[in-house]
Amino acid sequence: MSLAADLLDQAKHLAARESGRPRQASLRRAVSAAYYSLFHLIVDDAASFLARSSRLRPVVARSFEHKVIRKAAAAIGDVARRPSSNHWMQPLLDVPISAELVEVCDTFVNLQEHRHRADYDGTMRFTRVQTNGLVSDAFWAHTRWRTERTSHNARVFVLASAQLLGSR
Amino acid sequence: MSYVLTKDLAGKLKQPLPPEVGKGVSRILVGIAPDHEGVDSLFFRVVLKDDPGTATPSKKLGQRLQRIAAELRRRAASMVPGFAYVDFVLESELPRQRHKTA
């Protein structure tokens, strides 16, 4: 199994621990693992697309930045929901942007925010269903990405995430 | 790109979802808070009725919740700038409100 699939399994396992009163540590780590499962799914695919050599692929994968992928993902959702926004990415994308890709991108942005809160915000209290919801979003995003990964718009997303496209 | 979440705007954002999407939704809470990059952002919290389908993470649950989130983000995009974050809780998970006696 891939690292992305393993992390998703781990997220599910952690979300279900302590059946009565779950520990915050388990729920927080579940949210974090769910985010990283999607991060690695996208980055591993992006690296395979950008580098044919198996020696180069891990190096390319390492060059991706969370913040940049988040920005690219947010842009895809923004262009899809506000077609008249004149975003720099708009001319590069096929329209309409598929709901599947928008869901993957929205899930990435949403999960990254909750991952930050899970890892750094001690004032926040995660609930079981809140965690199950976020982990389930990641499950669904994995499925959606598999059908979208080779589409033109997914390639634009990947190239923007690799900082090979952008407003200059 | 800041804005104020007036009562009127919050009311529009919290309107009930179409029945085909909003099944099982008890109510919608909305607020503005800075995200981890310090950008003021909209946060939706969708309160679900107690439901055994939410007991474990699954693809099916993800599909259902994503439809709700997509509808809320579409709604938010027509009213406010920026990304709208969404999470889900059960009615029974919310902190109980203390009732004041007169």
Side-chain angles (χ1 to χ4, degrees):
Chain A
M1 282 222 315
S2 66
L3 176 60
D6 281 343
L7 284 166
L8 191 58
D9 263 6
Q10 188 184 52
K12 192 177 176 183
H13 168 73
L14 290 167
R17 281 196 65 177
E18 296 110 22
S19 59
R21 287 183 62 189
R23 289 183 199 169
Q24 281 296 298
S26 301
L27 300 181
R28 284 168 183 268
R29 295 312 303 157
V31 172
S32 190
Y35 166 72
Y36 278 103
S37 79
L38 190 56
F39 172 80
H40 283 290
L41 182 75
I42 292 168
V43 163
D44 289 353
D45 255 353
S48 301
F49 167 59
L50 292 168
R52 299 246 172 207
S53 153
S54 58
R55 262 198 306 164
L56 285 178
R57 237 173 273 147
V59 184
V60 171
R62 190 70 188 89
S63 71
F64 281 84
E65 290 176 27
H66 295 267
K67 195 176 171 178
V68 180
I69 305 177
R70 171 198 162 95
K71 217 171 159 186
I76 298 271
D78 206 33
V79 172
R81 282 184 286 269
R82 298 182 184 93
S84 57
S85 64
N86 283 329
H87 195 279
W88 65 263
M89 203 189 267
Q90 202 160 21
L92 305 174
L93 292 161
D94 285 344
V95 285
I97 301 169
S98 73
E100 289 83 358
L101 183 62
V102 174
E103 280 181 7
V104 173
C105 290
D106 285 349
T107 302
F108 186 88
V109 179
N110 199 52
L111 269 177
Q112 189 181 107
E113 179 62 28
H114 286 92
R115 198 288 293 184
H116 264 264
R117 291 179 173 222
D119 285 345
Y120 305 118
D121 185 353
T123 64
M124 187 156 174
R125 189 183 158 272
F126 280 84
T127 70
R128 172 89 71 191
V129 170
Q130 185 183 24
T131 306
N132 286 346
L134 293 166
V135 175
S136 297
D137 284 350
F139 259 100
W140 187 237
H142 273 241
T143 305
R144 293 303 217 187
W145 179 249
R146 270 182 231 119
T147 62
E148 273 298 310
R149 59 206 269 192
T150 56
S151 71
H152 169 78
N153 286 344
R155 297 303 196 208
V156 172
F157 168 52
V158 160
L159 290 170
S161 298
Q163 301 190 69
L164 293 171
L165 304 174
S167 54
R168 289 173 196 269
Chain B
M1 222 167 53
S2 237
Y3 53 91
V4 176
L5 187 62
T6 59
K7 212 173 170 182
D8 180 49
L9 179 58
K12 284 178 185 162
L13 289 165
K14 292 196 293 187
Q15 273 179 2
L17 293 162
E20 66 275 13
V21 179
K23 201 180 159 199
V25 172
S26 162
R27 60 196 164 110
I28 298 162
L29 309 174
V30 66
I32 296 182
D35 65 14
H36 74 270
E37 286 180 353
V39 178
D40 278 347
S41 303
L42 203 61
F43 282 79
F44 283 106
R45 176 156 287 179
V46 180
V47 184
L48 301 170
K49 292 172 188 160
D50 284 13
D51 171 4
T54 59
T56 49
S58 68
K59 213 180 280 180
K60 196 177 165 190
L61 178 60
Q63 183 179 16
R64 182 183 149 204
L65 301 184
Q66 277 299 309
R67 287 187 73 197
I68 297 170
E71 182 61 34
L72 289 174
R73 289 194 181 109
R74 199 168 27 242
R75 180 184 287 179
S78 66
M79 299 181 208
V80 295
F83 186 82
Y85 297 95
V86 182
D87 68 359
F88 298 85
V89 292
L90 280 188
E91 272 176 330
S92 59
E93 288 180 326
L94 285 175
R96 289 201 185 98
Q97 284 183 337
R98 284 182 194 157
H99 294 282
K100 285 179 187 167
T101 50

